[in-house]
Amino acid sequence: MKKLLFIVGGLLLGGALPASQTLTLDTAKTKEPISPYIYGQFIEHLGKCVNGGLWAELLEDRKFYYPVKDSYSPWSVATDPQWNTGPYMYLSGSPWKVIAPRNTRGAVTMDTTHTYVEDHNPDAGPQIGQVIQPPQAPVLHLRPNGDVGISQECIQLTKGRDYIGHVMLSGQNFSGTVTVRMLMDDLAPRVIQTITAAGGDYQRTDFKFTAPADSLNAHFEIVGRGQGDVEIGSISLMPADNIHGWRADTVVLLKQLNAPIYRWPGGNFVSGYNWKDGIGPDRDQRPPRKNPAWKGVEPNDVGIHEYMDLMQLIGAEPYVSVNTGLGTIDGVSAEVEYLNGAADSPMGKLRAANGHAEPFNVKWYAVGNEMFGSWQLGNMPLEQYVQKHNDVAKAMLSVDKNAKLVAVGAADNRNGWDQTMFKICADYMNLMSEHVYVKEKLDVVAHVAQLADEIRRVANAHRGFRQSIPELQGKDIRVAMDEWNYWYGDYLYGELGVRYHLKDALGIAKGYHEFFRNSDIFYMANYAQTVNVIGAIKTTPTAAAFDATALPQVLYRNHFGTIPIEVSQQPTGDLDVSAAWTTDRKAITIAVVNPRSTADELVVNLGSTTVKDQSTQWLIIGTDPDEYNEPGKPQNLTIQEHSVNTSGGKLAVPALSVVIYRLDLR
Ligand code: AHR
């Protein structure tokens, strides 16, 4: 084929002469409007999504879940054979190293009798079978002639940036000095704070620090010298620009991501989560727990109040998943009352005492997560689960009759999970949840098609259920695809922290097209997940960036129309087209995914609908399907915007791209 250079919306590209084909659209043939909830997100307490991603805390295990020991071995290595990932490291012991004079052992011991962290569980107890470890705190047994303390390494700092923190200390017969300091590469240690008095009760000391240099391996230390004992209840260190504890750079990206709704707190996590561990006005007193479903430790710094704060900060709606695994019916109804009950209800009173008198007005709830799977905590046979679903749902509705409930679904479960759920529980759900994850396929066209194929399969299954299940007659129970994504490759950003590529961005775009084509079935979809963990955003401790899959989300949320126009015949060449009117019907938007390395051209025929010659084009494009972005580096993949001439209905479709055109009516 003849090679030439051609101009696409101001871009000069080298490639083969584009093929041209006609796309005929009957603009009067529209479908059910696209639900805004299709652009939802999901955040789970897992890996570096919340802690180490969204939340600004820089210290690991700041409340001493793991005992600080003379022997130091904090990391273990794991692989995830199901997802074929390479090895990744996770914290399996204390990240705090003991500092003590040479040949001294036992200078730091652990105490469980006088801790600042509280154990919420003795009277909270909505969990079945949860293993509870009592809170503990390190005690520094001071010496007059040498430092005794604890140190955490691998703290990443940025030159000139301000950091804030605090430490909760209590002393027993203490006299001397406790020093908070930072050691940065070959610079002299920086003393951040000196404390000379500590009584028996825990007292908070705040400190501030400006990093004198960049560092990838600063050591944060608390050391004492003198006499008596000093006990460390908790410590915190965050960049000073954090917004109520949330990372400022990540919040900026969340705002740009512009998702309308966030599912939280899991995922598998929720089936072992005790929501009462995450409340209480003083985060330092909330108990750290082993993450019940995953590898890490859950500090419980982020709970209901913090999540609601984030939702407010970024203008998104909450979608709370509740624990139908190890959780109990009473535990769930108490949670709903805590969220939405009046300030004089028992749980509403507790919420008010914790600083939020007004109900949070949560509307959407996921009733459980993947309860069909053997991996799910509290997994039980379907016959038993349908009963539990109904009991939980009734209890939730008796607290809040307006609650909208999303039931656990699995359209592909050969034991007929969805069918039985619909038969027994149809009166106690508003939506049915479905999840799809796909791996990598070496052929790019096949790789890009996978999610759309899965979404279509689920849509078809649900059309079938509507026909065949009598209990669904007269009902319109749509689907919440509340987890969907690619999941493959090495965990570069912690547990499940896979990297995404241009080809995945194209697959997400095509996935959206499938949701739009089935807008009568899909009411909600939540891209899984938001930060680091199979995430649209990737972070290091000092930088945050959109990964490839964030880009189509931003693109479609911001620029695609809301009233789908039927595309009766897709063009050839593996192009995937979606078209929609804007809400005000002043423009038609046409999106095309091209997974091939050859450019195309569509000549769009809109019948009697006439549009202006000058259009806006938004484009995600690369030259290699494996192109990606990394935090802290120049971005290879972005959304480009161009004003282009589309007279004669000619829409350029560059190779390896997703492109949206906005054609304004004349
Ligand atoms: O998103 C990661 C995990 O995938 C979720 O916790 C679980 O629901 C699904 O299996």
Side-chain angles (χ1 to χ4, degrees):
M1 212 193 291
K2 196 170 143 206
K3 282 265 194 184
L4 81 170
L5 290 175
F6 58 96
I7 293 176
V8 180
L11 276 180
L12 197 59
L13 301 172
L17 186 65
S20 188
Q21 47 184 320
T22 301
L23 175 76
T24 304
L25 294 178
D26 180 346
T27 58
K29 281 200 178 157
T30 56
K31 292 168 168 264
E32 187 95 1
I34 298 165
S35 162
Y37 290 124
I38 284 299
Y39 299 115
Q41 287 282 339
F42 171 39
I43 46 184
E44 177 167 12
H45 290 253
L46 144 65
K48 292 181 187 294
C49 180
V50 177
N51 304 293
L54 285 157
W55 192 246
E57 180 60 54
L58 291 174
L59 298 176
E60 297 270 8
D61 202 16
R62 71 181 198 88
K63 292 183 276 187
F64 310 104
Y65 173 82
Y66 289 115
V68 182
K69 291 182 180 162
D70 285 325
S71 58
Y72 172 71
S73 65
W75 301 104
S76 291
V77 175
T79 55
D80 190 343
Q82 194 198 342
W83 299 96
N84 205 12
T85 177
Y88 65 97
M89 310 253 283
Y90 68 95
L91 201 66
S92 58
S94 177
W96 296 99
K97 212 179 219 173
V98 170
I99 298 173
R102 226 171 220 284
N103 300 327
T104 313
R105 298 191 72 79
V108 177
T109 56
M110 298 304 290
D111 173 38
T112 54
T113 57
H114 176 241
T115 59
Y116 188 66
V117 170
E118 287 178 348
D119 197 335
H120 290 193
N121 270 290
D123 64 335
Q127 297 292 104
I128 302 165
Q130 193 182 24
V131 180
I132 302 299
Q133 173 185 284
Q136 52 184 342
V139 188
L140 315 183
H141 305 288
L142 302 188
R143 310 271 198 281
N145 308 322
D147 287 342
V148 170
I150 57 171
S151 163
Q152 188 166 135
E153 45 192 56
C154 296
I155 309 291
Q156 295 194 26
L157 302 173
T158 305
K159 184 178 178 180
R161 199 164 184 198
D162 293 333
Y163 296 86
I164 54 169
H166 64 265
V167 56
M168 300 297 310
L169 291 182
S170 103
Q172 283 295 322
N173 307 318
F174 165 66
S175 69
T177 338
V178 172
T179 305
V180 180
R181 68 189 183 200
M182 191 74 83
L183 274 59
M184 300 181 64
D185 307 305
D186 40 12
L187 300 180
R190 301 285 154 135
V191 172
I192 300 175
Q193 186 74 37
T194 307
I195 303 155
T196 50
D201 291 340
Y202 277 100
Q203 268 180 9
R204 176 175 165 135
T205 305
D206 288 278
F207 49 81
K208 266 192 194 158
F209 166 73
T210 304
D214 287 338
S215 180
L216 292 176
N217 186 20
H219 294 208
F220 175 81
E221 300 188 343
I222 299 188
V223 292
R225 199 179 272 224
Q227 281 176 337
D229 290 346
V230 170
E231 195 156 358
I232 306 175
S234 60
I235 321 171
S236 173
L237 180 70
M238 288 186 179
D241 63 357
N242 76 79
I243 310 167
H244 315 302
W246 298 101
R247 259 180 77 153
D249 55 358
T250 315
V251 165
V252 167
L253 292 179
L254 292 186
K255 285 186 178 167
Q256 289 172 20
L257 200 57
N258 193 20
I261 192 162
Y262 278 75
R263 178 172 179 251
W264 172 90
N268 296 345
F269 173 78
V270 78
S271 297
Y273 178 53
N274 182 342
W275 63 272
K276 286 193 175 175
D277 285 341
I279 58 172
D282 185 350
R283 287 192 275 270
D284 288 51
Q285 293 193 293
R286 299 183 196 160
R289 305 264 186 233
K290 172 79 188 64
N291 187 309
W294 303 98
K295 294 268 187 265
V297 168
E298 173 48 52
N300 282 307
D301 287 339
V302 173
I304 286 174
H305 290 255
E306 289 76 14
Y307 162 67
M308 293 299 170
D309 237 18
L310 179 66
M311 294 302 98
Q312 207 183 14
L313 204 58
I314 62 174
E317 211 181 310
Y319 170 26
V320 176
S321 51
V322 300
N323 182 347
T324 62
L326 298 180
T328 63
I329 296 160
D330 289 348
V332 175
S333 60
E335 183 176 3
V336 175
E337 188 175 281
Y338 189 87
L339 289 164
N340 282 4
D344 59 358
S345 64
M347 286 295 117
K349 265 188 203 150
L350 184 58
R351 182 191 64 234
N354 288 336
H356 205 279
E358 288 304 307
F360 287 114
N361 292 323
V362 174
K363 179 169 150 198
W364 289 101
Y365 294 91
V367 184
N369 178 71
E370 295 186 355
M371 289 303 298
F372 48 83
S374 55
W375 59 90
Q376 203 63 214
L377 291 159
N379 164 248
M380 64 191 81
L382 176 57
E383 310 72 62
Q384 204 179 323
Y385 187 69
V386 285
Q387 199 48 54
K388 184 160 187 182
H389 173 91
N390 282 353
D391 291 345
V392 170
K394 284 178 205 167
M396 293 173 79
L397 291 166
S398 74
V399 177
D400 178 0
K401 64 179 184 344
N402 297 318
K404 298 279 178 236
L405 308 183
V406 182
V408 170
D412 56 359
N413 189 297
R414 277 180 234 114
N415 299 324
W417 179 278
D418 277 7
Q419 291 90 326
T420 309
M421 285 291 289
F422 276 140
K423 265 187 206 321
I424 314 285
C425 311
D427 288 341
Y428 297 102
M429 66 172 86
N430 299 88
L431 299 175
M432 174 77 98
S433 150
E434 300 285 351
H435 293 173
V436 296
Y437 288 106
V438 295
K439 298 182 184 179
E440 186 178 32
K441 281 198 173 169
L442 291 181
D443 176 72
V444 176
V445 173
H447 181 79
V448 170
Q450 292 184 88
L451 279 167
D453 291 348
E454 288 298 301
I455 292 164
R456 187 164 52 253
R457 184 183 54 72
V458 171
N460 290 340
H462 276 261
R463 285 188 210 291
F465 299 148
R466 285 165 174 233
Q467 298 284 313
S468 61
I469 299 175
E471 288 76 4
L472 289 183
Q473 297 318 303
K475 288 196 156 63
D476 182 13
I477 300 179
R478 299 190 185 193
V479 174
M481 183 71 83
D482 54 13
E483 292 186 30
W484 69 290
N485 205 355
Y486 287 94
W487 184 343
Y488 69 94
D490 288 346
Y491 292 174
L492 304 172
Y493 296 90
E495 196 174 10
L496 269 65
V498 304
R499 166 182 288 157
Y500 290 117
H501 308 93
L502 174 61
K503 62 190 180 191
D504 308 314
L506 303 189
I508 294 294
K510 189 164 172 168
Y512 278 130
H513 291 190
E514 204 58 48
F515 286 131
F516 307 154
R517 286 191 269 271
N518 294 285
S519 55
D520 56 329
I521 295 286
F522 293 106
Y523 191 72
M524 194 191 291
N526 305 74
Y527 173 88
Q529 303 187 5
T530 309
V531 176
N532 291 328
V533 171
I534 45 176
I537 293 169
K538 295 293 171 11
T539 66
T540 64
T542 52
F546 277 149
D547 207 342
T549 51
L551 300 175
Q553 301 182 47
V554 175
L555 182 68
Y556 283 81
R557 279 169 195 153
N558 291 341
H559 303 301
F560 195 66
T562 55
I563 307 159
I565 298 170
E566 205 171 294
V567 179
S568 50
Q569 179 143 26
Q570 285 289 337
T572 58
D574 299 309
L575 301 186
D576 196 275
V577 174
S578 199
W581 285 99
T582 54
T583 311
D584 59 8
R585 291 209 179 227
K586 287 190 173 161
I588 288 172
T589 56
I590 298 179
V592 191
V593 176
N594 182 3
R596 289 220 184 157
S597 307
T598 48
D600 275 83
E601 183 184 73
L602 292 179
V603 179
V604 65
N605 174 358
L606 299 174
S608 57
T609 306
T610 53
V611 292
K612 293 181 182 164
D613 285 346
Q614 204 61 25
S615 310
T616 310
Q617 178 206 57
W618 293 274
L619 187 64
I620 302 168
I621 189 168
T623 49
D624 177 349
D626 289 322
E627 243 167 283
Y628 57 85
N629 285 345
E630 274 183 285
K633 302 217 171 129
Q635 303 299 280
N636 296 318
L637 299 167
T638 56
I639 298 175
Q640 306 171 16
E641 181 177 325
H642 307 285
S643 173
V644 290
N645 188 296
T646 50
S647 59
K650 285 187 183 171
L651 308 184
V653 183
L656 284 175
S657 74
V658 42
V659 57
I660 294 184
Y661 287 93
R662 178 189 164 100
L663 311 176
D664 284 291
L665 294 195
R666 258 184 213 281

